Structure formats: C-alpha cells, structure tokens
Amino acid sequence: NAGVTQTPKFQVLKTGQSMTLQCAQDMNHEYMSWYRQDPGMGLRLIHYSVGAGITDQGEVPNGYNVSRSTTEDFPLRLLSAAPSQTSVYFCASSYSGHDYTFGSGTRLTVV
Amino acid sequence: KNQVEQSPQSLIILEGKNCTLQCNYTVSPFSNLRWYKQDTGRGPVSLTIMTFSENTKSNGRYTATLDADTKQSSLHITASQLSDSASYICVVTTGTASKLTFGTGTRLQVTL
C-alpha cells in the first residue's frame, strides 16, 4: 500500500515551460486535492476533486489545470510556468473528506 | 475570511520537557479541527482530528484540546523527544469536506 505518490520530487523549469506534476493514490479515495506551500504561509488549495470526472477550483487556481479521468490519478498541469509558481506542491487524498493523506511533495523552481 | 492563526511561530525546548502549541480560528461553519506534523521535506501527517462535540483527543504523547466556544485549540506534547522536531500545523475544515484552512504552523525544535 503506497499511499499517495507524487512525481517528480524535484523539478527546475524555465519561465514559459509547461509540465505536469503527477499524483497517484492506491487507497480508492474519492477526494483528491492539490496544495502549494510557500514560506510563511499555510498550505493553499489549488484545485480539488470529489470523484472521477469532477474537479473544482480552490483558492489559487490561476495558471494551473487539473483533470480526474480515474479515481487513482489527479495530475496538476502548469500551463506556462512563472517564477511566482516556485513552491512546494502537495497532493492529498481522502476517503470522505474526514481525514487526508498527503504525498511527500514536489519541490518546483521556476527560473 | 476564514483564518487559522498559530502561536508561537517557533519554539525550542529541551528533550524530555513538555510544551503546548496554540491555534485560534475564525473558520465558519466549523466541521472539524486537525493537527498535523510535518517533518522537513515531507508531507503533513495527521496526529488528531476533533469534531465540534469533542474536547480532547490523544495520540500517544500528543493531546489536542478544542474549545469550540472560544474557537481555540491546543496541542500538548508530553516528554518531548528529538524526533518531535518538526512543524505542527492546525487545520480547520468548513462544512464542505474538501475545503481546509491551514495555519502557518509552529516550528518545534527539541534539543539535548
């Protein structure tokens, strides 16, 4: 039982490049979310999903896209990377929203 | 605006000592409150979760309290260990389960 798996762990992008952060869970959780963590700030919700085929925006969705074609996977796409998107990104999943399991994070630097 | 404030921002204690971390929130409507431990370079890991009707919840040496009237919570760590060095994050959930409001965390360092 791997829990929530995020890849890659580290990534450096040039401004304007696009990429996809991968998130997969093997716990059959319906709820999945993406957060970013910046110094001095609490985790902020980017996008979330309450089931396959259903996604919605969180607090800071601009510049990011998501899709949820399967229960297991919830990729986060950066359309055109900007230095302001330099952050640590966490994916989390939950069976019913009662408690969340977080991945180990992706540290992204945009230069 | 929903907010969660934690204090202190950082704390250094000697191994074996106790400490208490504070959390004040203005999230509404309240669903539950969670405390997470986040080791450096890792994702947050759940310690406790409390609903409106629960005043105290323990997990080993960690004891969380909740006063829903004053909208305050505390996390008490007993007989601290070096492995307790981490950030402790208070998270409050609104009525919608997917909407969590995170505090900025208290960074705890336990030293010899």
Side-chain angles (χ1 to χ4, degrees):
Chain A
N1 192 338
V4 178
T5 302
Q6 290 185 237
T7 56
K9 293 189 181 301
F10 301 93
Q11 183 70 50
V12 179
L13 287 179
K14 293 182 178 179
T15 298
Q17 286 185 317
S18 62
M19 78 159 295
T20 300
L21 280 62
Q22 301 292 344
C23 176
Q25 52 91 8
D26 60 359
M27 298 171 285
N28 201 32
H29 285 172
E30 291 296 323
Y31 288 74
M32 295 188 75
S33 307
W34 275 103
Y35 296 88
R36 60 179 290 174
Q37 186 175 37
D38 300 297
M41 303 183 71
L43 275 76
R44 292 181 292 169
L45 180 65
I46 304 171
H47 285 285
Y48 67 98
S49 170
V50 298
I54 305 169
T55 63
D56 205 347
Q57 296 181 349
E59 181 184 357
V60 288
N62 293 339
Y64 308 94
N65 274 356
V66 293
S67 60
R68 184 93 180 273
S69 57
T70 67
T71 299
E72 295 78 19
D73 300 299
F74 192 43
L76 178 71
R77 298 182 185 85
L78 278 69
L79 308 173
S80 177
S84 61
Q85 293 179 305
T86 294
S87 186
V88 181
Y89 291 85
F90 288 100
C91 178
S93 73
S94 169
Y95 178 68
S96 61
H98 181 68
D99 204 0
Y100 283 81
T101 299
F102 283 82
S104 57
T106 294
R107 184 174 293 276
L108 175 68
T109 301
V110 182
V111 298
Chain B
K1 182 180 177 181
N2 292 335
Q3 285 189 317
V4 176
E5 295 183 350
Q6 294 186 242
S7 61
Q9 283 189 332
S10 62
L11 182 62
I12 301 175
I13 62 173
L14 294 175
E15 186 182 29
K17 298 296 186 182
N18 303 335
C19 68
T20 300
L21 314 180
Q22 301 292 340
C23 172
N24 297 334
Y25 62 93
T26 57
V27 175
S28 181
F30 177 89
S31 179
N32 58 58
L33 184 145
R34 316 152 193 250
W35 282 93
Y36 283 88
K37 177 186 179 186
Q38 184 177 21
D39 292 313
T40 300
R42 309 287 294 178
V45 175
S46 180
L47 293 175
T48 64
I49 179 169
M50 291 181 292
T51 61
F52 184 88
S53 59
E54 296 177 293
N55 301 118
T56 303
K57 183 71 70 77
S58 291
N59 179 359
R61 295 179 296 102
Y62 301 101
T63 300
T65 64
L66 173 65
D67 185 335
D69 291 332
T70 62
K71 298 186 177 181
Q72 296 180 327
S73 176
S74 65
L75 180 68
H76 186 74
I77 304 174
T78 304
S80 61
Q81 301 176 357
L82 296 177
S83 59
D84 292 331
S85 296
S87 289
Y88 292 84
I89 303 173
C90 176
V91 185
V92 181
T93 305
T94 66
T96 304
S98 298
K99 298 295 180 63
L100 311 180
T101 302
F102 290 76
T104 55
T106 293
R107 182 172 295 277
L108 173 66
Q109 183 178 349
V110 181
T111 65
L112 294 173

